[in-house]
Amino acid sequence: MKSHKIAVHDYAGHTFQVQLSRWLAARGHQVLHLYSADVETPRGRLSPAATDPAGFTVESVTTGRRLDKYALVRRWLQERAYARVLAERIEAFAPDVVLSANAPPAVQARLAARLRTRRIPLVCWVQDIFTLGAAKLAESWPPPLRRAALWALGRVEFGTMRRAAGLVAISPDFLSILARHGVRHPAATVIENWAPADEIRPDTKDNDWARRHGLADCFCFLYSGTLGMKHNPGHLAELARTFRDDPATKVVVVSQGLGRRWLEEVKAAEGLDRLILLDFQPFESLPQVLASADVTVVLLEEFAGVLSVPSKVYSSFCARRPLLAAMPASNRAARLIEETGAGLCVPPQDGAAFVAAARRLRLDAALRHQMAARQADHAATAFDIELIGRRFLDVLDAAVTAG
């Protein structure tokens, strides 16, 4: 197969996207991996390393301002400014094809428009369906304004997907949703998310990071990742209340932003001393962070049931830590947890069931061990970067050939 110049843009800068870029470069392609420095989110292994393959470059893109995520009009303007900087960098690289993931509609649309003028094919890697999720943010708006705004957002998001050279969806659910909104792309394929098993390896609970934070000798429920509108931090507060009188149990939250700030207020008001709140940690610490957990917590609200697939689920599979999930049963990650027996999953609105599942996992070490073994079995085959990488390469090669 002919080698290509490939620009991979992952707005969030997550773990498995940059693993894919390194894999592509190791196969002889020249790869520029770009991510946003303006977004507050956990990140993957984005620092250049001596072991990186020739032809691999990773760079941040920034407007010089932190994204104001929940002020929709200001966010839209910021994203358009980011798209301009992004497009200029990609145009300077002059790739044969661009793969773009996690990009909000304003970013993806402006990037697509600039690429069309240069006849550079764009493959949209669909990790979220923003228009449907935005309905939650805009629910307090006057109905006429809300309908108009969502119509305009959908026109931009779905229109960009229709005109793309290809689509990669992370769940088959996405394709049926997109079809209902007029996106029936002939070059659409489903490649489910994964985690880099060669970088997130199982570690011992008694590790340097755990000892540094006083977690090596206690039972730990761990939530690590974004706490935004799609995640109910109330479950974490209730977990801390449930075990507040158990000196051997702690609830650890590694996050920043809206939900983290709310938990800080609750902790102070209620004296939840066993609720430990920490900032996002460097990717190099992630294996030890996950290993400090006895149970990993995953949250997703009902409205986001089929709109998002939490990547932290896949990281937990690599770390072999049982999952306690409050998620809609319709979500692909929830179905994966149930299919593999990797954890316990309850409806997101059922707080009593969430606490009951937490108590069960706290008391049943044999069950936790069984779940970890099933995670290992699944990760050994489903997270094979050789198989995944070849599927992406087929998509990119087809886009170049068709263009």
Side-chain angles (χ1 to χ4, degrees):
M1 183 178 291
K2 179 183 175 183
S3 64
H4 301 305
K5 290 183 71 177
I6 304 169
V8 178
H9 169 241
D10 173 33
Y11 188 68
H14 285 161
T15 59
F16 55 95
Q17 286 91 342
V18 72
Q19 184 198 28
L20 174 64
S21 289
R22 284 186 166 94
W23 184 91
L24 291 168
R27 297 308 174 276
H29 303 278
Q30 187 176 347
V31 181
L32 172 64
H33 187 94
L34 301 169
Y35 68 96
S36 172
D38 299 342
V39 182
E40 193 175 57
T41 185
R43 303 206 187 274
R45 187 162 65 92
L46 297 170
S47 300
T51 56
D52 284 343
F56 172 78
T57 304
V58 58
E59 296 178 10
S60 64
V61 178
T62 182
T63 63
R65 295 183 60 186
R66 178 71 67 183
L67 181 71
D68 197 343
K69 190 173 182 180
Y70 299 106
L72 295 188
V73 175
R74 190 179 305 120
R75 171 178 174 172
W76 179 271
L77 295 173
Q78 288 177 295
E79 288 171 349
R80 286 172 63 86
Y82 172 88
R84 183 181 65 253
V85 179
L86 172 67
E88 289 171 354
R89 180 63 189 96
I90 290 177
E91 287 174 349
F93 178 63
D96 299 311
V97 63
V98 177
L99 174 65
S100 183
N102 287 305
V107 173
Q108 201 82 314
R110 295 204 80 187
L111 174 61
R114 291 280 290 268
L115 294 177
R116 279 196 297 273
T117 66
R118 300 295 183 101
R119 302 180 65 83
I120 299 172
L122 170 67
V123 176
C124 295
W125 189 355
V126 186
Q127 294 279 336
D128 282 290
I129 301 176
F130 289 86
T131 300
L132 304 186
K136 181 67 175 178
L137 291 176
E139 63 184 4
S140 63
W141 294 12
L145 177 60
R146 182 173 66 250
R147 286 193 295 269
L150 293 176
W151 175 85
L153 183 62
R155 187 169 182 269
V156 170
E157 180 172 27
F158 301 128
T160 303
M161 292 182 192
R162 291 187 201 102
R163 292 188 293 271
L167 292 182
V168 176
I170 62 173
S171 167
D173 302 329
F174 280 28
L175 295 185
S176 58
I177 294 171
L178 293 177
R180 292 199 296 271
H181 290 83
V183 182
R184 298 176 179 87
H185 203 292
T189 188
V190 175
I191 303 178
E192 296 197 15
N193 284 349
W194 72 98
D198 59 339
E199 299 175 17
I200 305 176
R201 296 180 180 275
D203 204 340
T204 58
K205 180 176 174 63
D206 186 3
N207 60 67
D208 290 342
W209 190 90
R211 287 193 294 273
R212 192 159 62 248
H213 293 91
L215 305 175
D217 58 355
C218 69
F219 190 97
C220 175
F221 290 97
L222 173 74
Y223 182 94
S224 178
T226 305
L227 265 178
M229 294 291 292
K230 293 183 293 187
H231 319 99
N232 180 6
H235 285 305
L236 299 170
E238 190 57 37
L239 204 57
R241 295 185 191 106
T242 299
F243 294 100
R244 70 185 303 162
D245 296 325
D246 180 354
T249 300
K250 291 181 180 179
V251 178
V252 179
V253 177
V254 180
S255 187
Q256 293 171 223
L258 187 68
R260 158 69 184 274
R261 290 191 291 271
W262 182 84
L263 285 172
E264 288 173 349
E265 295 173 1
V266 172
K267 176 177 178 174
E270 300 184 25
L272 298 176
D273 295 335
R274 303 197 181 281
L275 176 60
I276 311 301
L277 304 175
L278 302 170
D279 289 346
F280 290 133
Q281 301 294 298
F283 178 76
E284 292 72 21
S285 299
L286 183 59
Q288 291 195 343
V289 173
L290 295 176
S292 71
D294 295 276
V295 171
T296 302
V297 180
V298 181
L299 305 174
L300 191 68
E301 288 290 79
E302 190 69 41
F303 77 90
V306 293
L307 308 181
S308 178
V309 180
S311 58
K312 60 179 68 67
V313 169
Y314 303 97
S315 297
S316 292
F317 271 72
C318 291
R320 301 179 193 174
R321 289 301 184 264
L323 287 149
L324 169 62
M327 303 171 65
S330 59
N331 186 268
R332 175 62 191 120
R335 298 200 304 270
L336 178 64
I337 293 169
E338 293 290 344
E339 290 164 6
T340 59
L344 300 179
C345 192
V346 304
Q349 69 275 14
D350 194 339
F354 181 77
V355 168
R359 290 187 184 278
R360 182 182 175 193
L361 289 169
R362 172 69 177 90
L363 295 173
D364 197 335
L367 177 62
R368 298 196 304 271
H369 180 77
Q370 181 184 69
M371 289 173 172
R374 290 177 175 175
Q375 289 175 325
D377 290 342
H378 179 78
T381 55
F383 300 170
D384 185 340
I385 188 59
E386 291 294 327
L387 299 178
I388 295 166
R390 286 199 291 270
R391 293 191 65 195
F392 272 98
L393 200 48
D394 287 343
V395 172
L396 297 173
D397 192 58
V400 173
T401 302

